[in-house]
Amino acid sequence: MDIFSVFTLCGGLAFFLFGMNTMSKSLEKMAGGKLERTLKRMTSNPMKSLLLGAGITIAIQSSSAMTVMLVGLVNSGVMELGQTIGVIMGSNIGTTLTAWILALSGIESENVWVNLLKPENFSPVIALVGILMIMTSKKQKRRDIGRILMGFSILMYGMELMKAAVSPLADSPEFASILTAFQNPLLGVLVGAVFTGVIQSSAASVGILQALAMTGSISYGMAIPIIMGQNIGTCVTAILSSIGVSRNAKRVAAVHISFNIIGTVICLVLFYGAGSFLPFTFMNDPANAMSVALCHTIFNVLTTAMLLPFSKQLEKLACVLVKTETKSEQFAFLDPLLLRTPGAAINECITMVGKMSEVAHKNFLLSIEQLETYSTEREAVILENEDKLDTYEDRLGDYLVQISRHGLSGDNSRQVSRMLHCIGDFERIGDHALNIQESAQELHDKQLMFSDSAKQELEVLTQALSGILDRAFDAFAANDPEAAARVEPLEETIDRLIEEIRLRHIERLQSGVCTIQLGFILNDLLTNFERASDHCSNIAVCVIETNRRDIDAHVYLHNIKQDSNFVQDLQVDMNRYTLPNP
């Protein structure tokens, strides 16, 4: 084996890791926020968590991505530490599938159909299909499937390069002498852990071991402790992802490390303890790719079976290991770790934008109440909520921009666009609520009072505003274009109400019923009411645009205004919100 073989080995490892990363990212992208929603819904007991962890890891082909997602979800407060333990154990089992796929390379047969099972034989066809889907398909979902196929093909090509690079080692006496050192189980565990920790991929580490096994130079006695060590080395990703997160999120990494170390120690003691009484004659036999995959699976299934009943004890151990208090951050839910799984990050943003809309809705209604009965306690709540809305807009805006830089599916991209548009409207509605609060405070401080006619008119208008807020925010929460279309009739009704109140105010000024000072305050109120109504209309338009991609929202609104249902809704709103006779 010369220097060029080393280059080929490094290149093969690079292709393997790139293919694995491409395939994993594309699978995560297709899954969107479904992974996170499923995790939150199905972690009620350890067995469900176990099966779910195995299933998701098989789906996204990355136990590291699974662990990072769990750290992010616990850091954001979405999941509890106890819910993650079964998922972590399941991910260790799910990651063994890659080894079984790689093991197919070792199949030897004269039969054409059996040879077709070998990845190096069918992966070129998969690569061709994948690149055609990427280049010719107009649908994002099909392009993502194409990237998954390409990622798998590149992964298998990397495996073949590594296998070819290490094949000369079979006849190398120097390599054989080095391997004798691995007869020491502790050294084998250490090498497996360190190497896997460096490349941060247990799948790649197992793949290299399988490639070496195909040379016939690796015995079972060497392979088994290395496999055990590889499971410890894969914890490096969890450790790195836990830097700078909350205490509970650090405990997720502690659980992962504890589970793998305890499992390895127990298996080492049991296996080599039994070997001292019952000699395992197969230990000196050469292992092949299939037997490496089998040992990898048996080890992970066995450790999980042993430790799953002790999930509570693992949780307590993690709490003992990680005691440091961390300051809770107000917006820890926007965890940068979740950016590695954009679908989960988007799902978190949807939840937080929903909370932002609730704060904006509540604040506007509180400001209206200030006009009726002024309260300093209510004023404090309004000011606090306004600060929250500003923070929501800044943090959510930055976070959504970061998400948009990642490759997103069509649906996820539209969700990000909808949220970016609407958080500005929510914040502006909060600003108008603050302006109304200031007008109410001026009325209170100066002991001014509107005439009975003006009060009655404002009462009708504020009822209409409460109605349009309900419609707009409900349509946004449900992402319902039909409900959003019902915002526009009420917005037109509010515009007419405001115009009529302004005309009536001029009449009262002329007759001396109202003063100039009250007129300025009323005009400010009407302006803020009108603009808040416009922002509700903007929210509705945004919901329509993200759901009716085949037509411009304003064209859509123009069309529905010709519809009898729109005319009927407009008439109903006009009848419901009618100003009293002057």
Side-chain angles (χ1 to χ4, degrees):
M1 185 174 179
D2 56 17
I3 187 66
F4 297 106
S5 296
V6 175
F7 290 164
T8 303
L9 177 62
C10 294
L13 178 60
F15 278 117
F16 188 100
L17 293 174
F18 178 75
M20 177 67 72
N21 184 66
T22 301
M23 186 169 63
S24 175
K25 290 294 183 186
S26 298
L27 284 164
E28 290 170 19
K29 183 177 173 182
M30 284 189 65
K34 295 176 185 175
L35 295 181
E36 185 208 11
R37 291 193 293 272
T38 307
L39 276 171
K40 288 190 285 187
R41 189 174 64 250
M42 294 185 62
T43 50
S44 55
N45 65 61
M47 189 53 67
K48 275 187 181 179
S49 299
L50 177 71
L51 296 174
L52 184 64
I56 292 180
T57 305
I58 288 170
I60 65 176
Q61 281 295 292
S62 176
S63 60
S64 297
M66 181 81 255
T67 305
V68 170
M69 189 191 304
L70 290 174
V71 171
L73 291 175
V74 171
N75 191 46
S76 67
V78 174
M79 291 180 69
E80 297 294 330
L81 174 63
Q83 293 177 288
T84 67
I85 296 174
V87 180
I88 290 170
M89 294 179 180
S91 70
N92 275 24
I93 296 174
T95 195
T96 61
L97 177 68
T98 307
W100 283 105
I101 295 173
L102 298 176
L104 294 175
S105 299
I107 294 174
E108 297 294 340
S109 174
E110 297 294 329
N111 189 290
V112 174
W113 298 106
V114 174
N115 273 320
L116 277 176
L117 293 174
K118 299 177 73 171
E120 63 263 34
N121 291 335
F122 65 74
S123 58
V125 179
I126 289 178
L128 178 62
V129 173
I131 196 65
L132 287 175
M133 291 180 75
I134 293 172
M135 294 177 67
T136 62
S137 180
K138 294 182 179 179
K139 292 187 176 179
Q140 183 64 43
K141 188 174 182 180
R142 289 181 183 174
R143 290 200 295 271
D144 289 337
I145 293 173
R147 289 188 180 92
I148 292 169
L149 298 179
M150 282 299 299
F152 177 79
S153 302
I154 294 170
L155 180 154
M156 294 313 307
Y157 179 66
M159 182 65 184
E160 286 302 305
L161 284 179
M162 288 191 292
K163 187 168 69 174
V166 299
S167 58
L169 294 175
D171 303 319
S172 171
E174 293 83 1
F175 182 65
S177 63
I178 292 172
L179 288 179
T180 56
F182 292 110
Q183 298 292 349
N184 184 327
L186 295 179
L187 183 59
V189 170
L190 180 62
V191 168
V194 171
F195 185 73
T196 306
V198 169
I199 64 175
Q200 290 190 45
S201 173
S202 60
S205 181
V206 171
I208 291 175
L209 183 61
Q210 287 176 302
L212 288 170
M214 289 178 192
T215 67
S217 305
I218 302 294
S219 66
Y220 283 95
M222 301 171 192
I224 291 172
I226 291 174
I227 289 170
M228 294 181 182
Q230 287 168 338
N231 273 47
I232 296 175
T234 196
C235 297
V236 169
T237 305
I239 295 170
L240 293 176
S241 67
S242 66
I243 296 172
V245 297
S246 68
R247 181 176 57 180
N248 265 351
K250 285 185 173 70
R251 287 172 177 168
V252 175
V255 166
H256 194 195
I257 297 165
S258 303
F259 168 69
N260 283 322
I261 290 178
I262 292 171
T264 299
V265 171
I266 292 174
C267 286
L268 274 173
V269 171
L270 291 177
F271 184 76
Y272 287 97
S276 62
F277 297 103
L278 303 169
F280 297 139
T281 56
F282 65 87
M283 292 292 281
N284 293 320
D285 294 342
N288 55 36
M290 194 69 72
S291 58
V292 169
L294 180 62
C295 291
H296 190 213
T297 303
I298 290 173
F299 170 70
N300 280 292
V301 171
L302 188 60
T303 53
T304 299
M306 286 191 298
L307 295 178
L308 184 61
F310 300 98
S311 297
K312 294 292 183 184
Q313 286 73 20
L314 282 173
E315 183 177 354
K316 290 178 181 177
L317 177 60
C319 293
V320 170
L321 293 173
V322 182
K323 290 182 177 180
T324 308
E325 289 285 351
T326 56
K327 295 180 180 179
S328 57
E329 295 186 14
Q330 185 179 1
F331 288 91
F333 57 81
L334 294 176
D335 197 311
L337 291 174
L338 290 179
L339 290 172
R340 302 187 188 185
T341 50
I346 288 170
N347 214 49
E348 278 305 285
C349 286
I350 290 172
T351 302
M352 292 306 113
V353 171
K355 290 183 178 180
M356 181 184 183
S357 71
E358 290 172 6
V359 174
H361 191 177
K362 176 184 176 182
N363 228 34
F364 201 89
L365 296 179
L366 286 174
S367 69
I368 290 175
E369 290 179 24
Q370 288 289 75
L371 292 171
E372 299 169 3
T373 54
Y374 193 84
S375 163
T376 53
E377 291 81 6
R378 196 182 294 127
E379 176 192 354
V381 174
I382 291 172
L383 295 175
E384 182 183 351
N385 285 341
E386 172 59 21
D387 289 339
K388 283 183 182 179
L389 288 172
D390 289 339
T391 309
Y392 268 117
E393 185 190 29
D394 291 341
R395 298 290 297 273
L396 277 167
D398 290 343
Y399 199 74
L400 287 167
V401 169
Q402 290 181 58
I403 293 173
S404 65
R405 291 171 184 159
H406 292 68
L408 300 177
S409 64
D411 287 340
N412 282 344
S413 182
R414 284 188 290 276
Q415 286 177 321
V416 169
S417 176
R418 179 173 74 105
M419 288 187 283
L420 279 170
H421 279 90
C422 287
I423 58 175
D425 287 303
F426 295 150
E427 197 276 333
R428 291 299 298 147
I429 287 173
D431 288 344
H432 294 305
L434 184 62
N435 293 341
I436 294 167
Q437 148 65 30
E438 290 172 354
S439 295
Q441 185 176 8
E442 185 178 356
L443 288 170
H444 174 73
D445 292 345
K446 295 180 179 178
Q447 296 184 344
L448 299 173
M449 189 175 296
F450 289 119
S451 65
D452 291 339
S453 298
K455 285 181 181 178
Q456 291 173 357
E457 291 164 4
L458 285 174
E459 185 177 352
V460 174
L461 182 57
T462 53
Q463 287 174 0
L465 279 161
S466 179
I468 197 171
L469 287 166
D470 290 342
R471 289 187 190 181
F473 286 99
D474 289 347
F476 176 82
N479 197 24
D480 184 353
E482 301 300 328
R486 295 189 62 246
V487 171
E488 195 64 19
L490 187 48
E491 197 270 337
E492 290 196 8
T493 300
I494 289 172
D495 286 346
R496 293 181 185 182
L497 287 173
I498 290 172
E499 186 62 30
E500 189 172 348
I501 290 172
R502 281 198 170 109
L503 292 173
R504 291 189 179 192
H505 167 65
I506 292 171
E507 291 175 2
R508 286 193 291 271
L509 276 176
Q510 291 173 342
S511 61
V513 177
C514 187
T515 65
I516 292 292
Q517 191 173 19
L518 281 170
F520 287 139
I521 297 174
L522 179 63
N523 187 64
D524 288 341
L525 287 173
L526 294 179
T527 299
N528 283 291
F529 288 156
E530 184 176 17
R531 289 177 180 171
S533 174
D534 291 340
H535 286 295
C536 288
S537 179
N538 291 344
I539 294 167
V541 168
C542 182
V543 172
I544 293 167
E545 280 183 336
T546 53
N547 286 275
R548 305 272 181 175
R549 300 186 297 278
D550 56 331
I551 188 171
D552 181 83
H554 296 285
V555 174
Y556 175 74
L557 287 173
H558 175 76
N559 291 340
I560 65 168
K561 285 181 182 181
Q562 317 305 317
D563 188 81
S564 58
N565 290 331
F566 176 87
V567 176
Q568 184 178 356
D569 285 343
L570 182 61
Q571 191 61 50
V572 168
D573 289 334
M574 289 176 64
N575 293 336
R576 181 182 300 159
Y577 305 109
T578 304
L579 295 178
N581 293 326

